[in-house]
Amino acid sequence: MSKWLTRRRLLTTGLATAAGGSGLAAAIRMAGRYGLIPPDCGGLWGVGETITYASHRILTAGNPLAREFDRSAISTMTPVKHNPPKGEKYRQLFAGEFVDWRLTVEGMVARPGSFSLADLKSYPSQTQITHMACEEGWSFIAEWTGVPLRHVLDLVGVLPQAKYAVFIGLDRVWDSHDMHDAWHPQTLLAYEMNGEKLTMGHGAPLRLRVTRQLGYKNVKWLSRIVLTDNLKLFGKRTGKGGASAEAGWSWYAGI
Ligand SMILES: Nc1nc2c(c(=O)[nH]1)N[C@H]1C(S)=C(S)[C@@H](COP(=O)(O)O)O[C@H]1N2
Ligand SMILES: [Mo]
């Protein structure tokens, strides 16, 4: 058995035993030792958040894929959640088919980048039929096409200090992911849904698709990605890692 597997088994059983038997404090200490503390670990629910995040990360260490479906499973109803960015700027970008839109990728990277939609579409694309679930209970299956985020991360050269990728929408909604989900092979910067360019409601021109987390972690209307080790620089500067976490939802919304 590989060293890693042994360590993983030890960690999983260790966390479970610590959480169940000798108490939560020991489990938290153990999670901390392995760098598995989520940014919203404080407050009333913080202990639960830490146990969930740490256990998931240990169990998913091999980057398992979310289930992919056949075309026949694609949902006929595809609900839209939240309104597109308000204001003239977005309306003009949309009317101009986003030729003036750019995705900037900056922060802890060797070569900060600014990508047009044409640039992103020129990179190797990936298509997946996956399930998107909103925290409110509804869900749908759709086909998504885009460039794998890891392709763009390779282009900009992520520095080893980066711990999170922060995604910022044109509506100023933002959220973040750890590098595990950022590098995940199914994580896409999607520009098409069900074979058509993204509609305004679903996030035109570009949205994040993370297959193993709830809907609100899939930031729409993307404009910036920042690699960082400090989430206190964003949003309300609480360090909680996202507009959703600042509003009381879990930062880690793994499914
Ligand atoms: N920029 C931005 N992204 C967002 C939101 C938002 O309000 N702004 N809402 C989120 C929520 S709560 C969900 S469930 C999904 C829904 O995606 P859909 O509208 O394509 O169904 O988008 C997420 N991405
Ligand atoms: Mo949602």
Side-chain angles (χ1 to χ4, degrees), residues 109-129:
V109 298
R111 300 170 292 279
S114 170
F115 302 90
S116 69
L117 198 52
D119 290 335
L120 297 169
K121 288 184 176 174
S122 74
Y123 303 143
S125 73
Q126 197 187 96
T127 293
Q128 54 168 254
I129 301 173

PDB file of all heavy atoms in Angstrom, residues 109-129:
ATOM      1  N   VAL A 109       0.106  34.706  -9.344  1.00  0.00           N
ATOM      2  CA  VAL A 109       0.396  33.999 -10.599  1.00  0.00           C
ATOM      3  C   VAL A 109       1.666  34.580 -11.189  1.00  0.00           C
ATOM      4  O   VAL A 109       2.002  35.738 -10.937  1.00  0.00           O
ATOM      5  CB  VAL A 109      -0.761  34.127 -11.623  1.00  0.00           C
ATOM      6  CG1 VAL A 109      -2.050  33.507 -11.093  1.00  0.00           C
ATOM      7  CG2 VAL A 109      -1.006  35.575 -12.017  1.00  0.00           C
ATOM      8  N   ALA A 110       2.368  33.787 -11.982  1.00  0.00           N
ATOM      9  CA  ALA A 110       3.618  34.252 -12.587  1.00  0.00           C
ATOM     10  C   ALA A 110       3.351  35.208 -13.743  1.00  0.00           C
ATOM     11  O   ALA A 110       4.115  36.141 -13.970  1.00  0.00           O
ATOM     12  CB  ALA A 110       4.429  33.047 -13.065  1.00  0.00           C
ATOM     13  N   ARG A 111       2.268  34.974 -14.497  1.00  0.00           N
ATOM     14  CA  ARG A 111       1.991  35.768 -15.702  1.00  0.00           C
ATOM     15  C   ARG A 111       0.520  36.165 -15.718  1.00  0.00           C
ATOM     16  O   ARG A 111      -0.303  35.479 -16.334  1.00  0.00           O
ATOM     17  CB  ARG A 111       2.279  34.919 -16.963  1.00  0.00           C
ATOM     18  CG  ARG A 111       3.720  34.436 -17.086  1.00  0.00           C
ATOM     19  CD  ARG A 111       3.869  33.402 -18.206  1.00  0.00           C
ATOM     20  NE  ARG A 111       3.204  32.139 -17.914  1.00  0.00           N
ATOM     21  CZ  ARG A 111       3.713  31.158 -17.142  1.00  0.00           C
ATOM     22  NH1 ARG A 111       4.915  31.292 -16.606  1.00  0.00           N
ATOM     23  NH2 ARG A 111       3.015  30.054 -16.924  1.00  0.00           N
ATOM     24  N   PRO A 112       0.153  37.292 -15.066  1.00  0.00           N
ATOM     25  CA  PRO A 112      -1.255  37.701 -15.049  1.00  0.00           C
ATOM     26  C   PRO A 112      -1.783  37.786 -16.478  1.00  0.00           C
ATOM     27  O   PRO A 112      -1.040  38.160 -17.387  1.00  0.00           O
ATOM     28  CB  PRO A 112      -1.220  39.090 -14.402  1.00  0.00           C
ATOM     29  CG  PRO A 112       0.066  39.152 -13.660  1.00  0.00           C
ATOM     30  CD  PRO A 112       1.031  38.264 -14.383  1.00  0.00           C
ATOM     31  N   GLY A 113      -3.052  37.426 -16.651  1.00  0.00           N
ATOM     32  CA  GLY A 113      -3.583  37.366 -18.011  1.00  0.00           C
ATOM     33  C   GLY A 113      -4.902  38.093 -18.149  1.00  0.00           C
ATOM     34  O   GLY A 113      -5.629  38.328 -17.173  1.00  0.00           O
ATOM     35  N   SER A 114      -5.191  38.474 -19.391  1.00  0.00           N
ATOM     36  CA  SER A 114      -6.474  39.082 -19.722  1.00  0.00           C
ATOM     37  C   SER A 114      -6.949  38.355 -20.978  1.00  0.00           C
ATOM     38  O   SER A 114      -6.283  38.414 -22.008  1.00  0.00           O
ATOM     39  CB  SER A 114      -6.253  40.574 -19.968  1.00  0.00           C
ATOM     40  OG  SER A 114      -7.417  41.145 -20.506  1.00  0.00           O
ATOM     41  N   PHE A 115      -8.064  37.655 -20.876  1.00  0.00           N
ATOM     42  CA  PHE A 115      -8.489  36.755 -21.951  1.00  0.00           C
ATOM     43  C   PHE A 115      -9.804  37.233 -22.560  1.00  0.00           C
ATOM     44  O   PHE A 115     -10.754  37.517 -21.835  1.00  0.00           O
ATOM     45  CB  PHE A 115      -8.679  35.341 -21.405  1.00  0.00           C
ATOM     46  CG  PHE A 115      -7.439  34.772 -20.760  1.00  0.00           C
ATOM     47  CD1 PHE A 115      -7.198  34.956 -19.396  1.00  0.00           C
ATOM     48  CD2 PHE A 115      -6.498  34.069 -21.511  1.00  0.00           C
ATOM     49  CE1 PHE A 115      -6.052  34.441 -18.797  1.00  0.00           C
ATOM     50  CE2 PHE A 115      -5.351  33.555 -20.918  1.00  0.00           C
ATOM     51  CZ  PHE A 115      -5.126  33.742 -19.559  1.00  0.00           C
ATOM     52  N   SER A 116      -9.847  37.286 -23.889  1.00  0.00           N
ATOM     53  CA  SER A 116     -11.113  37.588 -24.561  1.00  0.00           C
ATOM     54  C   SER A 116     -11.895  36.281 -24.684  1.00  0.00           C
ATOM     55  O   SER A 116     -11.349  35.182 -24.496  1.00  0.00           O
ATOM     56  CB  SER A 116     -10.857  38.190 -25.938  1.00  0.00           C
ATOM     57  OG  SER A 116     -10.310  37.197 -26.784  1.00  0.00           O
ATOM     58  N   LEU A 117     -13.166  36.423 -25.046  1.00  0.00           N
ATOM     59  CA  LEU A 117     -13.975  35.224 -25.234  1.00  0.00           C
ATOM     60  C   LEU A 117     -13.396  34.372 -26.371  1.00  0.00           C
ATOM     61  O   LEU A 117     -13.343  33.146 -26.286  1.00  0.00           O
ATOM     62  CB  LEU A 117     -15.412  35.656 -25.550  1.00  0.00           C
ATOM     63  CG  LEU A 117     -16.508  34.621 -25.376  1.00  0.00           C
ATOM     64  CD1 LEU A 117     -16.474  33.960 -24.016  1.00  0.00           C
ATOM     65  CD2 LEU A 117     -17.875  35.286 -25.610  1.00  0.00           C
ATOM     66  N   ALA A 118     -12.907  35.051 -27.417  1.00  0.00           N
ATOM     67  CA  ALA A 118     -12.300  34.330 -28.546  1.00  0.00           C
ATOM     68  C   ALA A 118     -11.055  33.568 -28.094  1.00  0.00           C
ATOM     69  O   ALA A 118     -10.831  32.426 -28.519  1.00  0.00           O
ATOM     70  CB  ALA A 118     -11.964  35.307 -29.668  1.00  0.00           C
ATOM     71  N   ASP A 119     -10.251  34.182 -27.214  1.00  0.00           N
ATOM     72  CA  ASP A 119      -9.079  33.472 -26.670  1.00  0.00           C
ATOM     73  C   ASP A 119      -9.532  32.183 -25.984  1.00  0.00           C
ATOM     74  O   ASP A 119      -9.009  31.097 -26.249  1.00  0.00           O
ATOM     75  CB  ASP A 119      -8.373  34.299 -25.580  1.00  0.00           C
ATOM     76  CG  ASP A 119      -7.665  35.535 -26.110  1.00  0.00           C
ATOM     77  OD1 ASP A 119      -7.291  35.531 -27.296  1.00  0.00           O
ATOM     78  OD2 ASP A 119      -7.504  36.501 -25.323  1.00  0.00           O
ATOM     79  N   LEU A 120     -10.520  32.316 -25.102  1.00  0.00           N
ATOM     80  CA  LEU A 120     -10.954  31.159 -24.310  1.00  0.00           C
ATOM     81  C   LEU A 120     -11.516  30.064 -25.214  1.00  0.00           C
ATOM     82  O   LEU A 120     -11.284  28.879 -24.987  1.00  0.00           O
ATOM     83  CB  LEU A 120     -11.975  31.587 -23.253  1.00  0.00           C
ATOM     84  CG  LEU A 120     -11.428  32.570 -22.201  1.00  0.00           C
ATOM     85  CD1 LEU A 120     -12.558  33.150 -21.360  1.00  0.00           C
ATOM     86  CD2 LEU A 120     -10.395  31.892 -21.293  1.00  0.00           C
ATOM     87  N   LYS A 121     -12.234  30.487 -26.269  1.00  0.00           N
ATOM     88  CA  LYS A 121     -12.818  29.502 -27.181  1.00  0.00           C
ATOM     89  C   LYS A 121     -11.762  28.845 -28.069  1.00  0.00           C
ATOM     90  O   LYS A 121     -12.021  27.793 -28.658  1.00  0.00           O
ATOM     91  CB  LYS A 121     -13.890  30.158 -28.044  1.00  0.00           C
ATOM     92  CG  LYS A 121     -15.149  30.484 -27.251  1.00  0.00           C
ATOM     93  CD  LYS A 121     -16.237  31.045 -28.134  1.00  0.00           C
ATOM     94  CE  LYS A 121     -17.506  31.255 -27.315  1.00  0.00           C
ATOM     95  NZ  LYS A 121     -18.548  31.929 -28.084  1.00  0.00           N
ATOM     96  N   SER A 122     -10.588  29.470 -28.173  1.00  0.00           N
ATOM     97  CA  SER A 122      -9.537  28.874 -29.012  1.00  0.00           C
ATOM     98  C   SER A 122      -8.786  27.757 -28.267  1.00  0.00           C
ATOM     99  O   SER A 122      -8.044  26.997 -28.878  1.00  0.00           O
ATOM    100  CB  SER A 122      -8.549  29.960 -29.467  1.00  0.00           C
ATOM    101  OG  SER A 122      -7.712  30.337 -28.383  1.00  0.00           O
ATOM    102  N   TYR A 123      -8.975  27.656 -26.963  1.00  0.00           N
ATOM    103  CA  TYR A 123      -8.280  26.612 -26.184  1.00  0.00           C
ATOM    104  C   TYR A 123      -9.056  25.296 -26.269  1.00  0.00           C
ATOM    105  O   TYR A 123     -10.246  25.299 -26.590  1.00  0.00           O
ATOM    106  CB  TYR A 123      -8.133  27.041 -24.720  1.00  0.00           C
ATOM    107  CG  TYR A 123      -7.418  28.357 -24.537  1.00  0.00           C
ATOM    108  CD1 TYR A 123      -7.797  29.254 -23.540  1.00  0.00           C
ATOM    109  CD2 TYR A 123      -6.357  28.728 -25.381  1.00  0.00           C
ATOM    110  CE1 TYR A 123      -7.152  30.474 -23.379  1.00  0.00           C
ATOM    111  CE2 TYR A 123      -5.708  29.942 -25.222  1.00  0.00           C
ATOM    112  CZ  TYR A 123      -6.112  30.814 -24.222  1.00  0.00           C
ATOM    113  OH  TYR A 123      -5.486  32.016 -24.061  1.00  0.00           O
ATOM    114  N   PRO A 124      -8.389  24.175 -25.968  1.00  0.00           N
ATOM    115  CA  PRO A 124      -9.083  22.885 -26.012  1.00  0.00           C
ATOM    116  C   PRO A 124     -10.334  22.926 -25.133  1.00  0.00           C
ATOM    117  O   PRO A 124     -10.272  23.385 -23.985  1.00  0.00           O
ATOM    118  CB  PRO A 124      -8.062  21.905 -25.420  1.00  0.00           C
ATOM    119  CG  PRO A 124      -6.748  22.592 -25.506  1.00  0.00           C
ATOM    120  CD  PRO A 124      -7.004  24.066 -25.501  1.00  0.00           C
ATOM    121  N   SER A 125     -11.463  22.505 -25.686  1.00  0.00           N
ATOM    122  CA  SER A 125     -12.703  22.609 -24.924  1.00  0.00           C
ATOM    123  C   SER A 125     -13.071  21.264 -24.323  1.00  0.00           C
ATOM    124  O   SER A 125     -12.560  20.217 -24.726  1.00  0.00           O
ATOM    125  CB  SER A 125     -13.831  23.107 -25.821  1.00  0.00           C
ATOM    126  OG  SER A 125     -14.213  22.073 -26.694  1.00  0.00           O
ATOM    127  N   GLN A 126     -13.971  21.334 -23.332  1.00  0.00           N
ATOM    128  CA  GLN A 126     -14.465  20.110 -22.708  1.00  0.00           C
ATOM    129  C   GLN A 126     -15.979  20.231 -22.586  1.00  0.00           C
ATOM    130  O   GLN A 126     -16.491  21.322 -22.314  1.00  0.00           O
ATOM    131  CB  GLN A 126     -13.850  20.000 -21.322  1.00  0.00           C
ATOM    132  CG  GLN A 126     -13.927  18.621 -20.723  1.00  0.00           C
ATOM    133  CD  GLN A 126     -13.445  18.643 -19.274  1.00  0.00           C
ATOM    134  OE1 GLN A 126     -14.235  18.742 -18.348  1.00  0.00           O
ATOM    135  NE2 GLN A 126     -12.136  18.557 -19.092  1.00  0.00           N
ATOM    136  N   THR A 127     -16.670  19.112 -22.828  1.00  0.00           N
ATOM    137  CA  THR A 127     -18.125  19.103 -22.686  1.00  0.00           C
ATOM    138  C   THR A 127     -18.502  18.057 -21.649  1.00  0.00           C
ATOM    139  O   THR A 127     -17.924  16.966 -21.631  1.00  0.00           O
ATOM    140  CB  THR A 127     -18.777  18.788 -24.059  1.00  0.00           C
ATOM    141  OG1 THR A 127     -18.503  19.891 -24.931  1.00  0.00           O
ATOM    142  CG2 THR A 127     -20.283  18.649 -23.950  1.00  0.00           C
ATOM    143  N   GLN A 128     -19.438  18.403 -20.788  1.00  0.00           N
ATOM    144  CA  GLN A 128     -19.884  17.472 -19.738  1.00  0.00           C
ATOM    145  C   GLN A 128     -21.389  17.630 -19.548  1.00  0.00           C
ATOM    146  O   GLN A 128     -21.930  18.735 -19.702  1.00  0.00           O
ATOM    147  CB  GLN A 128     -19.192  17.808 -18.411  1.00  0.00           C
ATOM    148  CG  GLN A 128     -19.372  19.264 -18.022  1.00  0.00           C
ATOM    149  CD  GLN A 128     -18.949  19.580 -16.592  1.00  0.00           C
ATOM    150  OE1 GLN A 128     -19.804  19.794 -15.729  1.00  0.00           O
ATOM    151  NE2 GLN A 128     -17.653  19.623 -16.353  1.00  0.00           N
ATOM    152  N   ILE A 129     -22.050  16.531 -19.218  1.00  0.00           N
ATOM    153  CA  ILE A 129     -23.472  16.597 -18.868  1.00  0.00           C
ATOM    154  C   ILE A 129     -23.567  16.273 -17.385  1.00  0.00           C
ATOM    155  O   ILE A 129     -23.352  15.129 -16.970  1.00  0.00           O
ATOM    156  CB  ILE A 129     -24.308  15.631 -19.728  1.00  0.00           C
ATOM    157  CG1 ILE A 129     -24.131  15.995 -21.210  1.00  0.00           C
ATOM    158  CG2 ILE A 129     -25.791  15.680 -19.326  1.00  0.00           C
ATOM    159  CD1 ILE A 129     -24.772  15.021 -22.186  1.00  0.00           C
TER     160      ILE A 129
END
